[in-house]
Each structure stands twice: as structure tokens, then as C-alpha cells.
Amino acid sequence: MDRTILHCDCNSFFASVETLLDPSLADGPTAVCGDPESRHGIILAKNEKAKAFGVQTAETIWQAKRKCPDLRLVAPHRSEYVKFSRKCNELYLQYTDLVDPFGIDESFLDVTGSMHLFGSGEHIADELRRRMREEVGLTISVGVSFNRAFAKLGSDYKKPDGTTVFSRGNFKQRVWSLPANTLLYVGKRASDRLNQLGVRTIGELAACDPAFIHSILGKNGDLLLRYARGEDDEPVRSFYAEREVKSVGNSMTFAHNLLGADECRMGITALCDNVGRRLRKRGMVCQTVQLGIRDPEFHNRSRQVTLERPTNSTRTLIDLSMQLLLGHWPMDKPVRLLSVTAANLLPENQSCEQLSLFDAAEDIQKRDRQHKLDQTVDALRQKFGDKSVVFAHSVKKKDKTDKK
């Protein structure tokens, strides 16, 4: 028996929530962004009227205003987004406990076991759309299918406030004609590579030889081929199931471009301080450290290092991140954004390492001192607040001409 999977996607979620907070925003094109006067001025979301002018997510404010001079800009209210996301999932949970959030504004639902109570998947989707409008004040688009990948495709198919059904009987006619880049997890690189090979539709991808696609895209190619052929069997997890933490990361867009090792170290120290503290709070260590860099022209570079000894030491994270930066980024080139991610996580009490016969005692003592220091800093912050202890490198140094 096929499963019945729904993918519910809130339409223009951030902008819709802002309109509920301020109904006057519904009168014209609106976009959610950071402070227009700062370097955080990037479009985070837009309403349908702004979309009509071609305003796009992630473009700069000045680009959006050039397309739509009357665009009304509002700052994000993140706590409200979390509150409304919770309301959406509370509604979904009235139909099934198999609710798997896929970001703040999207969720997968498996209603296979609920249809004898509430009707078909399409009927449940229509009822959810109606209730979401009437009870929460938002609109959602819902895809209904026998797997997650096609359900996600369906929610993108008819926006806003639509229901689309891709069934076992119609998916070859309706899905295979769609562009390959509309399929879940087909990013820009995979899409460009497929285009170079003449694979432009989902159906053309489905017809590819598995060994050939694997040779081009690796494991991701295997996954995409299964998705294109309708063979996705990933389950929808219970909303109450414990989520496995696969990585801990933090990023920061700076108010001015960072230039030189000293300024970059200041940013990296702040990021690693946050990541290290969260690792220790979870009782985790990482085996991989990843550094992301973005310049003012939005060119991105990412580098990573795999560790012989898993760590959650803030000092070690700082040192490794700086090594990655100095080894792969010219110090005379400005930096707009930095990100640090701790990946390949292990429980701290399950990590193991092989120690050298000659330096083991010295290494153990050094790491013990650092671990005790981290624990002391964590305890002080827990008692007196996050700003009670800061790293010297995370504080901007005064110029020699500055007055004390």
C-alpha cells in the first residue's frame, strides 16, 4: 500500500506574518530585510505584490528598490516567526503525529493512517488550507503524493494557496515534464552539470543510466535518480522523535568588510566562542571544522579540516579556523561574511584517540587545562550572563589615536 505524504509550505511566510502584525502592509509591495542603513540589507522575504515587480530573496535592498521604488521595507520579527511556525505545526498535529518540520515554514505529514478518520490526502490538504486561513491567518500550498520528494514538488507547483496531487498513476505525465532543477536537492551545481549533459527535465534524469549519473554526481546522483523515478522511501518522522544533531554552526555578516588577519580573527573568535559553547552544552565533540567565507561580491569559498582528535575546545576551533582562513584566503581581500561549522559530531564520552608515547602527558595536561577553562567560562556566563566573559580577540582593538 502506498503512503500518503503531504508537504505543507507557508506562502511568503515572513512577509505574511509581518502583514498579520501590521495589516497596512497588505496594501502594497512589501519585503522583509535587515536594517536598510547597514550591511544586513538583504531581502529575506517578499509578498506577492513585490514578487510581481521581480523582487527576489537574497538580493540587496538597492537592487530590490531599483525594481520597485515603492517597496516597503520592514525588519524581521524572528520570535513571531517561531510563534506562528508553532501554530502551524499544532494544526498539523491534529491530523497525525508524523509531522516532520522542514525548516521554519514547511512540514512533511504522513497521513496514511489518518485517512479513515479525515478522508483522502487531497481532502485533508484542502481542509488544512481552509483552517490555516481561518484560524491562523496564513495561507499554505500543499503537495500530496506517495513520497516526500514528489509531495515537496507538489507544494511548489501551485502557489499561493493551492493543492497539487502527484499520484502513482499520473506522476510520469505531470512530474517528468518539469525542469530537473525543481526536484528536491537539485542545487545550482547539480543543475548546471545536468544541463551540460543535456539532462533538462526530471523525466530525462529518470531515464539516465545509474552508473553514469553516479560517475558525474556521486552519491547525490544516486539520490536524485531515485527521487526522479519515484523511488524515494524516506520516512516522515514523528514530531516528538528526538532529532539527531549533525552539525553545530554559526555565521555572521559584518557591518563593515573585514580586512587583514587581525580583523578576521576578531570575527572568527566570536563565531567559535558560540560554536564551542553549544557543543559543550550538548556534550558533543566534532571531528570536522568547516570555514565559510563570502566577499562583498557574494563569491563564496568553503574549506574544512578533519581532526585526528575530536574537540569542543573554543581555542582549538579558533586556531583551526584561522589556519583554514590563512591557507586559503588572501589577507588583502575583504571579507563580508564568515561562518564556522562543527560537523561529524560524536558524544563527548564516546570519543577516543590514539596518544603518542612521547607527548601524551604534555598534550593531556594542556587539553585538561583548556577544558577546565572552557567549563569555568561556561559556568560564569551561566551565572552572570553571556557578556560577563569575552575573548580579547572578539573585542575590536582601539586605534592608537583613539582616546581611552
Side-chain angles (χ1 to χ4, degrees):
M1 176 182 175
D2 273 336
R3 298 177 298 163
T4 300
I5 309 297
L6 275 56
H7 180 264
C8 301
D9 187 3
C10 295
N11 303 134
S12 305
F13 180 61
F14 291 177
S16 297
V17 171
E18 294 296 339
T19 302
L20 290 176
L21 300 176
D22 180 2
S24 69
L25 296 176
D27 296 336
T30 299
V32 181
C33 62
D35 183 354
E37 302 302 322
S38 77
R39 291 295 305 276
H40 294 272
I42 295 175
I43 302 299
L44 302 176
K46 65 280 181 189
N47 65 5
E48 292 297 326
K49 293 181 179 179
K51 290 180 183 178
F53 285 88
V55 175
Q56 298 180 0
T57 300
E59 69 181 351
T60 59
I61 288 175
W62 70 266
Q63 290 173 319
K65 293 284 282 185
R66 188 168 61 179
K67 296 175 182 177
C68 181
D70 295 328
L71 184 66
R72 187 168 173 183
L73 302 173
V74 295
H77 294 82
R78 292 180 175 83
S79 62
E80 293 294 331
Y81 305 154
V82 173
K83 185 187 303 181
F84 275 90
S85 177
R86 189 179 300 118
K87 289 182 179 181
C88 293
N89 285 312
E90 287 172 353
L91 178 57
Y92 303 149
L93 286 166
Q94 295 180 31
Y95 293 82
T96 176
D97 68 314
L98 299 178
V99 176
D100 195 355
F102 193 63
I104 195 170
D105 60 341
E106 307 176 40
S107 290
F108 287 103
L109 286 66
D110 187 335
V111 298
T112 309
S114 306
M115 292 190 294
H116 69 287
L117 296 173
F118 303 109
S120 69
E122 184 174 8
H123 178 79
I124 294 173
D126 290 340
E127 187 169 311
L128 283 172
R129 290 195 299 112
R130 176 186 61 79
R131 291 189 63 189
M132 191 67 73
R133 286 194 306 271
E134 296 175 357
E135 299 174 26
V136 183
L138 301 175
T139 64
I140 58 173
S141 293
V142 186
V144 184
S145 193
F146 55 95
N147 62 48
R148 290 169 57 114
F150 287 171
K152 175 72 169 70
L153 198 63
S155 68
D156 293 331
Y157 191 80
K158 192 184 297 181
K159 288 181 176 290
D161 196 15
T163 297
T164 300
V165 180
F166 291 140
S167 67
R168 181 76 68 177
N170 72 16
F171 83 89
K172 292 182 180 179
Q173 292 74 36
R174 301 189 65 188
V175 170
W176 280 5
S177 61
L178 298 175
N181 63 7
T182 60
L183 192 63
L184 183 63
Y185 297 137
V186 177
K188 186 178 186 306
R189 289 185 180 180
S191 177
D192 290 345
R193 194 73 183 97
L194 291 172
N195 276 328
Q196 292 172 1
L197 299 170
V199 178
R200 294 181 173 81
T201 68
I202 295 175
E204 289 171 344
L205 174 58
C208 287
D209 176 70
F212 173 71
I213 286 296
H214 181 85
S215 69
I216 300 300
L217 298 176
K219 291 183 179 180
N220 190 48
D222 301 338
L223 178 70
L224 297 180
L225 189 61
R226 292 200 305 274
Y227 282 3
R229 293 179 173 182
E231 298 169 357
D232 171 28
D233 59 357
E234 183 178 355
V236 176
R237 297 178 297 177
S238 169
F239 185 81
Y240 306 104
E242 184 176 352
R243 271 21 182 198
E244 179 185 1
V245 179
K246 297 183 179 180
S247 64
V248 172
N250 196 15
S251 65
M252 187 181 299
T253 302
F254 300 97
H256 70 276
N257 292 333
L258 303 184
L259 194 63
D262 287 342
E263 289 195 354
C264 289
R265 179 178 286 274
M266 177 186 67
I268 282 176
T269 297
L271 293 171
C272 291
D273 184 20
N274 176 277
V275 171
R277 188 179 358 162
R278 289 161 59 197
L279 283 173
R280 293 188 295 274
K281 186 176 181 179
R282 293 178 178 273
M284 308 293 286
V285 291
C286 69
Q287 297 175 288
T288 302
V289 176
Q290 301 168 342
L291 178 70
I293 312 165
R294 177 181 296 167
D295 68 15
E297 284 71 45
F298 291 86
H299 299 137
N300 298 308
R301 185 175 298 180
S302 179
R303 294 292 184 270
Q304 67 179 41
V305 60
T306 299
L307 314 180
E308 293 183 4
R309 297 168 178 167
T311 188
N312 58 17
S313 161
T314 296
R315 173 56 57 193
T316 301
L317 294 174
I318 294 170
D319 291 344
L320 291 170
S321 298
M322 282 302 299
Q323 289 174 22
L324 289 171
L325 179 75
L326 295 172
H328 300 283
W329 190 261
M331 285 298 98
D332 59 349
K333 188 175 181 179
V335 173
R336 174 187 175 86
L337 173 147
L338 287 170
S339 66
V340 174
T341 302
N344 294 330
L345 304 187
L346 292 172
E348 188 171 13
N349 58 7
Q350 293 182 18
S351 63
C352 60
E353 58 188 80
Q354 184 174 356
L355 301 175
S356 163
L357 177 63
F358 299 102
D359 64 4
E362 181 181 349
D363 280 359
I364 291 174
Q365 290 177 359
K366 182 178 179 181
R367 276 176 285 141
D368 280 348
R369 288 195 300 270
Q370 184 61 52
H371 186 64
K372 289 178 181 178
L373 176 61
D374 286 332
Q375 288 182 320
T376 301
V377 170
D378 293 343
L380 288 171
R381 285 170 166 168
Q382 179 70 24
K383 186 173 183 179
F384 299 108
D386 290 347
K387 295 182 180 180
S388 60
V389 182
V390 295
F391 279 80
H393 282 296
S394 66
V395 180
K396 186 176 181 180
K397 295 180 180 179
K398 289 188 176 183
D399 206 312
K400 292 181 179 180
T401 59
D402 288 351
K403 294 182 179 180
K404 292 185 179 180

